[in-house]
Amino acid sequence: MENETGRVEAFSDGVFAIIITILVLELKVPEETGADFWHGVREQWPHYAAYVVSFLIIGVMWVNHHTIFSHLKRVDRPLLFLNLMVLMVVSVIPYTTNVLAEHLTEGGSAGPAAVLYSLVTVAYALAFLLFWWYVTRVGHLFHEQVDKDGARATRVRFGLGAIAYPCTVVLAFFSAPLTLVAHFLIAIYYAANQIPIPLVVEEERLQSASDLRK
């Protein structure tokens, strides 16, 4: 299945594109007209805030997903299902974004809405961690240039989301707006602190090839 990586990534890119577009469609049109129009726009701030945070989260997800596939030489059946599981969780984000935006300023329901939003991000973190764990478990899907031992060593940093996102679930019981801010900061962290997949130094790769020929 060495020719299938491009097809899988193209399918995934299409799903990511649809999901990120749906976020825009969930933005509400102000009902106010005339002199009250800008007041109506301001009243929609929870939708704008939730949109920006979720757009950033999905965007970082896509970047990490693309980075991994750029290092894969082939795919196999388990990876296909793990990839589908990742996409399934990501596709729920527009729904939870809309729920959180609708209830962000509601005292009684803001907390549960924030909990729901955070639980989905926890599910995504776990799904992506499982995806990466499988890719690095044997390393048989990587290009030859990838340092497989080095890639396995990145599991801990990949798994930080499985620790950070559950903390947002706890925070959601206290403040929904702060929970949204926490998700924004986590997304900024992952956007600014990309985890490089180590590559084998060229001399080492040539030495290994020489050893195989012997």
Side-chain angles (χ1 to χ4, degrees), residues 61 89-90 92-93 96 115-125:
M61 291 176 181
V89 178
V90 178
V92 182
I93 292 180
T96 58
V115 169
L116 176 64
Y117 186 88
S118 296
L119 285 176
V120 170
T121 58
V122 170
Y124 170 78

Side-chain angles (χ1 to χ4, degrees), residues 5 9-11 18-19 29 36-38 41 48 58 64 85 94 99 105 110 121 148 182 184 201 210:
T5 55
E9 187 175 9
F11 171 78
I18 293 172
I19 293 170
V29 177
D36 295 328
F37 173 76
W38 288 112
V41 172
Y48 307 144
I58 296 173
N64 288 334
M85 182 173 65
V99 170
T105 57
T121 58
K148 298 176 179 59
F184 176 77
V201 178
S210 176

Side-chain angles (χ1 to χ4, degrees), residues 6-7 13 18 39 41 74 93 126-127 135 142 154 159 172 180-181 186 202 214:
R7 182 181 178 186
D13 287 348
I18 293 172
H39 174 73
V41 172
R74 61 177 67 87
I93 292 180
L126 294 176
V135 170
F142 280 126
T154 66
L180 194 60
V181 172
I186 293 173
E202 184 66 17
K214 293 178 181 180

Side-chain angles (χ1 to χ4, degrees), residues 46-93:
H47 288 274
Y48 307 144
Y51 164 76
V52 170
V53 173
S54 293
F55 189 98
L56 183 58
I57 290 174
I58 296 173
V60 172
M61 291 176 181
W62 173 77
V63 170
N64 288 334
H65 187 274
H66 170 72
T67 300
I68 290 177
F69 268 88
S70 67
H71 291 76
L72 297 184
K73 181 179 180 180
R74 61 177 67 87
V75 296
D76 59 10
R77 189 176 179 84
L79 186 69
L80 292 177
F81 282 107
L82 289 172
N83 188 62
L84 285 175
M85 182 173 65
V86 169
L87 296 177
M88 179 184 69
V89 178
V90 178
S91 65
V92 182
I93 292 180

Side-chain angles (χ1 to χ4, degrees), residues 27 83 98 149 211:
L27 294 179
N83 188 62
N98 193 38
D149 291 332
D211 291 342

